[in-house]
Amino acid sequence: MEVAGLSLDGCHRLDELRAWHDACRKAPVAFDMTRGLPSDEQIALSHAMLSLPGPAPFDSGDGQDWLNYGGQQGIPQLRALLAPLLLGVPATQAAVGGNSSLALMHAAVGLAWRIGLPGHAPWSDAHEVRFLCPVPGYDRHFAICSDHGIALVPVPMGHDGPDMERVEKHVAQDPRIRGMWCVPRHSNPCGATYSAEVLRRLATMHAAAPDFTLFCDNAYAIHDFAPQALARPGLYDACATAGNPDRVLLFGSTSKMTIPGAGVALLGGSARIMDWWLAAQRACTIGPDKVNQVRHLRFFGNAAGVARHMQQHGHLLQQRFAQVQRVFAQRLRTPCDVHWSRPAGGYFITLWLPTGCARRVVSLASQAGVRLTPAGTTHCGGTDPEDRCLRIAPSRLPVADAARAAEIIAGCVLLACADAASVACDTTATAPDAHP
Amino acid sequence: MEVAGLSLDGCHRLDELRAWHDACRKAPVAFDMTRGLPSDEQIALSHAMLSLPGPAPFDSGDGQDWLNYGGQQGIPQLRALLAPLLLGVPATQAAVGGNSSLALMHAAVGLAWRIGLPGHAPWSDAHEVRFLCPVPGYDRHFAICSDHGIALVPVPMGHDGPDMERVEKHVAQDPRIRGMWCVPRHSNPCGATYSAEVLRRLATMHAAAPDFTLFCDNAYAIHDFAPQALARPGLYDACATAGNPDRVLLFGSTSKMTIPGAGVALLGGSARIMDWWLAAQRACTIGPDKVNQVRHLRFFGNAAGVARHMQQHGHLLQQRFAQVQRVFAQRLRTPCDVHWSRPAGGYFITLWLPTGCARRVVSLASQAGVRLTPAGTTHCGGTDPEDRCLRIAPSRLPVADAARAAEIIAGCVLLACADAASVACDTTATAPDAHP
């Protein structure tokens, strides 16, 4: 898939890499890898939805008229289908509403801020509210906190979840810590899936704040590359078993299952949490779009239909991720201190570079026509103190383009590393950022 | 449409009315008139939407991919169609998002509370925030204020809008008054449409609070019973002409145009207001359901299509409202101090009763199987100090049922009035509420 003259083959020395990059700049590609967007091929899997639900009648079974106002919790059959798969709770402990789980997260944090979690004072009464944020993490989670003046406390992510030693210490000692972001499966952007032991520790740990709450974004709950049986997400069950059923608020959506932005979003938790949420919704909205819920129900049919559909998604994602893994493995063997995640699902690969190289690589890639998520967005406050971490989002590109984009990113990494090494050896060199 | 034995004909004396009511209680109907719901016949006008948008491609013209994430403002063509008709602003000064204008109102009040209107301090910084509420008014508007701890200041509604003498005095003198609810066309529940002079005075009046804002709920902007040319709502233009373009936030939705709850909602205002709104949305949501927007665009086609569609709605509503007007005119000539609105559009008739009778009528009607909006909900704090005002919502009932419901309501009014008169004349009588 190499463009003539733009191959990295044989480029090792700084001058060779610079020549390669100059050639790339003169014939830039136009690849947008800034966000984890499904590809057109993935979306085509759901084109049948564009003519659904169709004219056939539907009976919600609970007296709700699906074609008129009414009902805050959503169509029971859709809750029964999706709540166990996406949130790990029964249908009664979930609400389907809106098209955006991010909107539900923002609203839930806002509600805790305004009226407090069930039985607790509003966070707005507190002198300071803090959230633990596993880092690298998701910039929109950080933005929700920033919107409410909530201070972010970073904790490092490992291969099987956040560093639980630090999490437990923070949560046990600091009553200002009222919440924590979690993406327990194929986390954004590391791709880590929390181990059962991490879930257990999150559920059982002592919390100094009595209303400490896990904000669990199950965005990639069943978004595996390889076919596998759909497992019920375990965080709610772990909390309930630990006697802390109110400790977790769960979020999910079908945006990366059907049509992005035109999906349905879910919020779940204990019965007490649901009473709290639904009571507050009465003044907030006239109710959810139930037609879109019936559309989803008819499209999926049942859990087996969901599984089949997600396997097709996984296959398409796998093709793209495999190209990036192949190119990185081929091109990035040499530089020390370059490594990357090998996720089994989700939408991102995290690439760790030598200290001080991430922004430089984003800039070099941009010059070659590959737009990456800005360096630093994976970190609280938008700044990666070591400037090491990049989020790579191969999902939307056609397979060949994913390979080409990975080649360009790899070349930019090699160039940035060679540049950095050159600066380190040659005190008369110009600073890397000043290089053309 | 009289049920044998349940006719009001010839019932005049208290004992006759009591006997009639006893008969109604023994064979109760089951009519829900608590909310302004469209009828099944109205919803059937939009059944074609259940198979839209269909598989045909769509080009938003602005580079947005309608089948993927992206874009906070919504599909330009739908804004161009609906923003002038529903809000009275151009496409660039509106955002289409979500399914619920109530949700947008709640979010807009919440945003003013949290970060302040453009260029102004957050309302949460103020010792007290007050809103003017025309009364009778809409309970969900009151609830949004209540949710944010905003105090309600009632002002009386007249035939052509709120009492502007009082509005101007309050707004000029009290800097705590930061907002005012307005439903300028076919207001809920009075049915009044604000005159051009009222709009002009709202737009030009002096406000003690520099961020005083009209929260304009255009829920019934083009919801006339009789066919008529669609007029551009005038409040924004009046504000812009007065040099106060940032004074108004406009809200509308298609929930009473297409499928209730499955419509699209709109927020509009000045360019400055829109910048403020859209910037804040970035952390709040992943973006609107654009597929539903294209669905609406394909269903309506153009402004003439909207007008034709709304004429069909108007015809169906007119049939129901005409029955209530006919029955009230026939039955409620006698009691003094009973009168009601004769709206030309919208979803409600307001019925004014002798002081102290409204709750009694709701109770009597309920016993006969007609559920009415609870008395008091039309007033700030849920209490009508004179207990006089009822909101009648005939829209959802089949035409014959609307007539029957009106007959029962009229009978209950006559009974409550006769009971009240009897109590006034006979100090030995039991209190009306104690009557079986």
Side-chain angles (χ1 to χ4, degrees):
Chain A
M1 304 313 302
E2 304 300 338
V3 177
L6 296 180
S7 171
L8 266 176
D9 288 342
C11 291
H12 300 292
R13 297 197 321 268
L14 180 56
D15 60 335
E16 292 166 344
L17 289 162
R18 283 182 179 163
W20 166 85
H21 188 257
D22 283 343
C24 288
R25 287 172 58 197
K26 284 174 186 151
V29 294
F31 299 154
D32 186 349
M33 301 180 83
T34 54
R35 286 280 163 198
L37 303 178
S39 64
D40 292 345
E41 287 163 271
Q42 283 178 268
I43 295 168
L45 298 172
S46 301
H47 275 185
M49 293 192 85
L50 298 175
S51 304
L52 288 176
F58 173 78
D59 182 353
S60 68
D62 69 345
Q64 285 188 71
D65 182 350
W66 70 298
L67 293 175
N68 214 326
Y69 292 121
Q72 285 289 358
Q73 201 169 355
I75 297 289
Q77 294 94 327
L78 188 66
R79 284 188 274 121
L81 176 62
L82 295 181
L85 293 177
L86 299 186
L87 308 183
V89 293
T92 53
Q93 287 174 227
V96 191
N99 69 321
S100 162
S101 55
L102 190 76
L104 296 179
M105 292 175 221
H106 197 283
V109 169
L111 197 58
W113 189 265
R114 181 161 56 77
I115 70 168
L117 285 154
H120 298 282
W123 291 350
S124 55
D125 286 356
H127 179 64
E128 185 181 351
V129 174
R130 296 179 170 185
F131 260 49
L132 289 189
C133 297
V135 167
Y138 181 33
D139 58 339
R140 294 188 193 263
H141 291 163
F142 307 155
I144 289 172
C145 285
S146 168
D147 255 19
H148 293 88
I150 296 171
L152 304 172
V153 180
V155 285
M157 274 293 287
H159 294 293
D160 62 353
D163 179 336
M164 284 307 300
E165 297 289 328
R166 296 205 205 187
V167 169
E168 286 164 342
K169 193 172 165 190
H170 279 300
V171 172
Q173 296 182 349
D174 188 348
R176 293 167 298 188
I177 294 178
R178 312 294 270 272
M180 173 177 173
W181 292 109
C182 311
V183 184
R185 297 209 77 228
H186 310 308
S187 72
N188 176 354
C190 295
T193 290
Y194 294 15
S195 69
E197 176 63 8
V198 166
L199 297 183
R200 191 194 62 76
R201 289 171 74 173
L202 289 170
T204 55
M205 64 186 174
H206 171 67
D211 60 352
F212 171 80
T213 301
L214 302 163
F215 283 73
C216 174
D217 181 354
N218 265 337
Y220 314 103
I222 55 175
H223 301 56
D224 297 273
F225 298 150
Q228 63 173 50
L230 300 182
R232 176 181 168 108
L235 186 53
Y236 175 75
D237 284 343
C239 288
T241 301
N244 292 320
D246 302 338
R247 174 173 285 191
V248 62
L249 270 163
L250 305 134
F251 304 91
S253 89
T254 64
S255 262
K256 291 190 176 74
M257 297 168 65
T258 56
I259 298 176
V264 296
L266 293 93
L267 176 146
S270 68
R272 190 172 183 220
I273 288 282
M274 294 314 299
D275 287 346
W276 168 81
W277 173 256
L278 291 169
Q281 294 315 297
R282 282 200 284 268
C284 294
T285 172
I286 204 71
D289 179 347
K290 291 178 290 189
V291 173
N292 202 27
Q293 298 186 12
V294 175
R295 183 175 295 119
H296 277 73
L297 197 56
R298 292 204 165 139
F299 179 69
F300 286 128
N302 53 31
V306 173
R308 274 194 305 275
H309 183 75
M310 293 311 292
Q311 285 176 15
Q312 296 179 279
H313 276 278
H315 176 66
L316 293 168
L317 287 163
Q318 167 79 359
Q319 292 178 321
R320 287 149 177 84
F321 277 70
Q323 292 299 324
V324 178
Q325 294 290 348
R326 178 186 61 75
V327 171
F328 282 8
Q330 178 191 351
R331 299 296 185 190
L332 298 178
R333 276 169 305 186
T334 317
C336 58
D337 217 15
V338 173
H339 55 107
W340 59 92
S341 62
R342 291 167 180 79
Y347 274 69
F348 303 106
I349 293 168
T350 298
L351 178 62
W352 283 273
L353 305 175
T355 299
C357 283
R359 282 189 298 161
R360 174 92 173 119
V361 167
V362 171
S363 167
L364 290 168
S366 171
Q367 291 164 10
V370 177
R371 289 181 57 213
L372 299 175
T373 311
T377 50
T378 51
H379 283 62
C380 301
T383 302
D384 172 2
E386 296 186 305
D387 190 28
R388 286 194 59 206
C389 180
L390 287 185
R391 185 178 84 163
I392 310 295
S395 54
R396 191 178 191 184
L397 299 180
V399 176
D401 291 352
R404 178 84 194 118
E407 184 85 356
I408 292 171
I409 295 166
C412 294
V413 168
L414 295 176
L415 175 53
C417 291
D419 248 348
S422 152
V423 172
C425 300
D426 175 4
T427 55
T428 64
T430 55
D433 276 344
H435 196 274
Chain B
M1 305 311 305
E2 303 302 340
V3 177
L6 296 181
S7 170
L8 266 175
D9 290 341
C11 291
H12 300 292
R13 297 196 321 266
L14 180 55
D15 59 337
E16 292 166 341
L17 289 163
R18 283 181 180 165
W20 165 85
H21 189 255
D22 283 343
C24 289
R25 287 171 58 198
K26 284 174 187 153
V29 294
F31 299 154
D32 186 350
M33 302 179 84
T34 53
R35 287 280 164 197
L37 303 178
S39 65
D40 292 346
E41 287 163 271
Q42 284 178 269
I43 295 168
L45 298 173
S46 302
H47 274 185
M49 294 193 86
L50 297 175
S51 303
L52 288 177
F58 173 78
D59 182 353
S60 68
D62 70 346
Q64 283 188 73
D65 182 350
W66 70 297
L67 293 174
N68 214 325
Y69 292 121
Q72 284 288 359
Q73 200 168 357
I75 297 289
Q77 294 94 327
L78 188 66
R79 284 189 273 123
L81 175 62
L82 295 182
L85 293 176
L86 299 186
L87 308 183
V89 293
T92 52
Q93 288 175 225
V96 192
N99 69 322
S100 161
S101 56
L102 190 76
L104 296 179
M105 292 175 221
H106 198 282
V109 169
L111 197 57
W113 189 265
R114 182 160 56 78
I115 69 168
L117 285 154
H120 297 282
W123 291 349
S124 55
D125 286 356
H127 179 65
E128 185 181 350
V129 173
R130 296 179 169 185
F131 260 50
L132 289 187
C133 297
V135 168
Y138 181 32
D139 59 338
R140 293 189 194 262
H141 291 163
F142 308 154
I144 289 173
C145 284
S146 168
D147 255 18
H148 293 90
I150 296 172
L152 303 171
V153 179
V155 286
M157 274 293 288
H159 294 292
D160 63 353
D163 179 334
M164 284 307 300
E165 298 288 331
R166 296 205 206 187
V167 169
E168 286 163 342
K169 193 172 165 190
H170 279 300
V171 173
Q173 295 181 350
D174 189 348
R176 293 168 298 190
I177 294 178
R178 312 294 272 271
M180 173 178 174
W181 292 109
C182 310
V183 184
R185 299 208 76 229
H186 310 307
S187 72
N188 176 353
C190 294
T193 290
Y194 294 15
S195 68
E197 176 63 6
V198 165
L199 298 183
R200 191 193 63 74
R201 289 171 73 173
L202 289 170
T204 56
M205 64 186 175
H206 171 67
D211 60 351
F212 171 79
T213 302
L214 302 162
F215 283 74
C216 173
D217 181 355
N218 266 337
Y220 314 104
I222 55 175
H223 301 58
D224 297 273
F225 298 150
Q228 63 173 49
L230 300 182
R232 177 181 167 108
L235 186 54
Y236 176 75
D237 284 343
C239 289
T241 301
N244 292 319
D246 301 338
R247 174 171 284 190
V248 61
L249 269 164
L250 305 134
F251 303 91
S253 89
T254 64
S255 263
K256 291 191 175 76
M257 298 169 64
T258 56
I259 298 175
V264 297
L266 293 93
L267 175 147
S270 69
R272 191 174 183 219
I273 289 282
M274 294 314 298
D275 287 346
W276 168 81
W277 173 256
L278 291 169
Q281 293 317 296
R282 282 199 284 269
C284 294
T285 171
I286 203 70
D289 178 348
K290 291 178 289 188
V291 173
N292 203 25
Q293 299 186 11
V294 175
R295 184 175 293 120
H296 276 73
L297 196 57
R298 291 204 165 136
F299 179 70
F300 286 128
N302 52 33
V306 174
R308 275 195 306 273
H309 183 74
M310 293 311 293
Q311 286 176 15
Q312 295 179 280
H313 275 279
H315 176 67
L316 293 168
L317 288 162
Q318 167 79 0
Q319 291 177 322
R320 287 149 178 84
F321 278 70
Q323 292 300 323
V324 178
Q325 294 290 348
R326 178 185 62 74
V327 171
F328 281 8
Q330 179 191 350
R331 299 295 184 192
L332 298 179
R333 277 168 309 186
T334 317
C336 58
D337 217 14
V338 173
H339 54 109
W340 59 93
S341 62
R342 290 166 179 79
Y347 273 69
F348 302 106
I349 293 168
T350 298
L351 178 62
W352 283 274
L353 304 174
T355 300
C357 283
R359 282 189 297 161
R360 173 94 174 119
V361 168
V362 171
S363 166
L364 290 169
S366 172
Q367 291 165 10
V370 177
R371 288 182 58 213
L372 299 174
T373 311
T377 50
T378 51
H379 283 62
C380 301
T383 302
D384 172 2
E386 296 185 306
D387 191 28
R388 287 193 58 204
C389 180
L390 287 185
R391 184 179 85 162
I392 310 295
S395 55
R396 190 177 193 184
L397 298 180
V399 176
D401 291 352
R404 178 83 193 120
E407 184 86 357
I408 291 170
I409 295 166
C412 294
V413 168
L414 295 175
L415 175 52
C417 290
D419 248 346
S422 152
V423 171
C425 300
D426 176 4
T427 54
T428 64
T430 54
D433 277 342
H435 194 273

Short mmCIF file of all heavy atoms in Angstrom, two decimals, chain B residues 86-111:
data_model
loop_
_atom_site.label_atom_id
_atom_site.label_comp_id
_atom_site.label_asym_id
_atom_site.label_seq_id
_atom_site.Cartn_x
_atom_site.Cartn_y
_atom_site.Cartn_z
N LEU B 86 -40.92 28.32 13.46
CA LEU B 86 -41.21 28.03 14.86
C LEU B 86 -40.61 29.05 15.81
O LEU B 86 -41.15 29.27 16.91
CB LEU B 86 -40.69 26.62 15.23
CG LEU B 86 -41.29 25.45 14.44
CD1 LEU B 86 -40.80 24.13 15.02
CD2 LEU B 86 -42.81 25.51 14.47
N LEU B 87 -39.48 29.67 15.43
CA LEU B 87 -38.81 30.58 16.34
C LEU B 87 -38.76 32.02 15.83
O LEU B 87 -38.55 32.94 16.62
CB LEU B 87 -37.37 30.09 16.60
CG LEU B 87 -37.17 28.64 17.05
CD1 LEU B 87 -35.70 28.37 17.33
CD2 LEU B 87 -38.02 28.32 18.28
N GLY B 88 -38.87 32.19 14.52
CA GLY B 88 -38.75 33.54 13.99
C GLY B 88 -37.31 34.01 13.86
O GLY B 88 -37.04 35.21 13.96
N VAL B 89 -36.40 33.08 13.66
CA VAL B 89 -34.99 33.43 13.46
C VAL B 89 -34.48 32.70 12.22
O VAL B 89 -35.06 31.69 11.81
CB VAL B 89 -34.10 33.04 14.68
CG1 VAL B 89 -34.46 33.88 15.90
CG2 VAL B 89 -34.21 31.56 14.97
N PRO B 90 -33.38 33.20 11.63
CA PRO B 90 -32.81 32.47 10.49
C PRO B 90 -32.11 31.19 10.94
O PRO B 90 -31.83 31.00 12.13
CB PRO B 90 -31.81 33.46 9.89
CG PRO B 90 -31.48 34.40 10.99
CD PRO B 90 -32.69 34.46 11.89
N ALA B 91 -31.82 30.33 9.96
CA ALA B 91 -31.23 29.01 10.24
C ALA B 91 -29.94 29.12 11.05
O ALA B 91 -29.67 28.27 11.90
CB ALA B 91 -30.96 28.28 8.92
N THR B 92 -29.16 30.16 10.79
CA THR B 92 -27.87 30.30 11.48
C THR B 92 -28.05 30.60 12.97
O THR B 92 -27.12 30.41 13.74
CB THR B 92 -27.05 31.45 10.86
OG1 THR B 92 -27.88 32.62 10.83
CG2 THR B 92 -26.61 31.10 9.45
N GLN B 93 -29.23 31.08 13.34
CA GLN B 93 -29.46 31.46 14.73
C GLN B 93 -30.32 30.44 15.48
O GLN B 93 -31.08 30.79 16.39
CB GLN B 93 -30.09 32.85 14.79
CG GLN B 93 -29.10 33.94 14.42
CD GLN B 93 -29.76 35.31 14.36
OE1 GLN B 93 -29.50 36.06 13.41
NE2 GLN B 93 -30.59 35.65 15.32
N ALA B 94 -30.21 29.20 15.07
CA ALA B 94 -30.94 28.14 15.76
C ALA B 94 -30.09 26.88 15.80
O ALA B 94 -29.22 26.67 14.95
CB ALA B 94 -32.26 27.85 15.05
N ALA B 95 -30.35 26.07 16.81
CA ALA B 95 -29.77 24.72 16.89
C ALA B 95 -30.93 23.75 17.01
O ALA B 95 -31.92 24.04 17.70
CB ALA B 95 -28.84 24.61 18.09
N VAL B 96 -30.82 22.63 16.32
CA VAL B 96 -31.81 21.56 16.47
C VAL B 96 -31.15 20.46 17.26
O VAL B 96 -30.08 19.97 16.87
CB VAL B 96 -32.26 21.01 15.10
CG1 VAL B 96 -33.48 20.12 15.27
CG2 VAL B 96 -32.58 22.13 14.13
N GLY B 97 -31.76 20.09 18.38
CA GLY B 97 -31.10 19.08 19.21
C GLY B 97 -32.06 18.43 20.18
O GLY B 97 -32.87 19.12 20.81
N GLY B 98 -31.95 17.14 20.30
CA GLY B 98 -32.80 16.42 21.24
C GLY B 98 -34.23 16.35 20.73
O GLY B 98 -34.56 16.78 19.63
N ASN B 99 -35.07 15.78 21.58
CA ASN B 99 -36.47 15.54 21.21
C ASN B 99 -37.42 16.39 22.03
O ASN B 99 -38.63 16.27 21.87
CB ASN B 99 -36.82 14.06 21.42
CG ASN B 99 -36.85 13.68 22.89
OD1 ASN B 99 -36.03 14.17 23.66
ND2 ASN B 99 -37.77 12.85 23.29
N SER B 100 -36.89 17.24 22.90
CA SER B 100 -37.75 17.86 23.90
C SER B 100 -37.35 19.32 24.11
O SER B 100 -36.23 19.60 24.56
CB SER B 100 -37.60 17.08 25.22
OG SER B 100 -38.04 17.84 26.32
N SER B 101 -38.26 20.24 23.75
CA SER B 101 -37.95 21.65 24.01
C SER B 101 -37.88 21.91 25.50
O SER B 101 -37.13 22.78 25.96
CB SER B 101 -38.99 22.56 23.34
OG SER B 101 -40.28 22.24 23.76
N LEU B 102 -38.65 21.16 26.29
CA LEU B 102 -38.56 21.29 27.74
C LEU B 102 -37.15 21.01 28.23
O LEU B 102 -36.62 21.71 29.11
CB LEU B 102 -39.55 20.33 28.41
CG LEU B 102 -39.74 20.52 29.91
CD1 LEU B 102 -40.60 21.73 30.20
CD2 LEU B 102 -40.36 19.28 30.54
N ALA B 103 -36.52 19.98 27.65
CA ALA B 103 -35.14 19.66 28.02
C ALA B 103 -34.21 20.81 27.67
O ALA B 103 -33.29 21.14 28.44
CB ALA B 103 -34.68 18.38 27.34
N LEU B 104 -34.44 21.45 26.53
CA LEU B 104 -33.60 22.59 26.15
C LEU B 104 -33.81 23.76 27.12
O LEU B 104 -32.86 24.45 27.49
CB LEU B 104 -33.89 23.03 24.71
CG LEU B 104 -33.57 22.00 23.62
CD1 LEU B 104 -33.93 22.56 22.25
CD2 LEU B 104 -32.09 21.63 23.65
N MET B 105 -35.07 23.99 27.52
CA MET B 105 -35.34 25.07 28.48
C MET B 105 -34.65 24.79 29.81
O MET B 105 -34.03 25.68 30.41
CB MET B 105 -36.85 25.20 28.73
CG MET B 105 -37.64 25.69 27.54
SD MET B 105 -39.43 25.64 27.90
CE MET B 105 -40.05 25.03 26.34
N HIS B 106 -34.78 23.56 30.28
CA HIS B 106 -34.14 23.19 31.54
C HIS B 106 -32.63 23.38 31.43
O HIS B 106 -31.99 23.93 32.34
CB HIS B 106 -34.48 21.74 31.89
CG HIS B 106 -34.24 21.37 33.32
ND1 HIS B 106 -32.98 21.11 33.82
CD2 HIS B 106 -35.09 21.25 34.37
CE1 HIS B 106 -33.08 20.82 35.12
NE2 HIS B 106 -34.34 20.91 35.48
N ALA B 107 -32.07 22.96 30.31
CA ALA B 107 -30.62 23.07 30.12
C ALA B 107 -30.19 24.53 30.02
O ALA B 107 -29.14 24.91 30.54
CB ALA B 107 -30.20 22.30 28.87
N ALA B 108 -31.00 25.36 29.36
CA ALA B 108 -30.64 26.77 29.20
C ALA B 108 -30.69 27.50 30.54
O ALA B 108 -29.79 28.28 30.88
CB ALA B 108 -31.55 27.44 28.18
N VAL B 109 -31.74 27.24 31.32
CA VAL B 109 -31.81 27.83 32.66
C VAL B 109 -30.62 27.31 33.49
O VAL B 109 -29.96 28.09 34.20
CB VAL B 109 -33.15 27.51 33.34
CG1 VAL B 109 -33.12 27.88 34.82
CG2 VAL B 109 -34.30 28.24 32.63
N GLY B 110 -30.34 26.02 33.37
CA GLY B 110 -29.22 25.43 34.11
C GLY B 110 -27.89 26.06 33.73
O GLY B 110 -27.02 26.27 34.58
N LEU B 111 -27.73 26.37 32.46
CA LEU B 111 -26.48 26.97 31.98
C LEU B 111 -26.34 28.40 32.49
O LEU B 111 -25.25 28.81 32.92
CB LEU B 111 -26.47 26.93 30.45
CG LEU B 111 -25.14 27.13 29.75
CD1 LEU B 111 -24.11 26.11 30.21
CD2 LEU B 111 -25.34 27.05 28.24
#
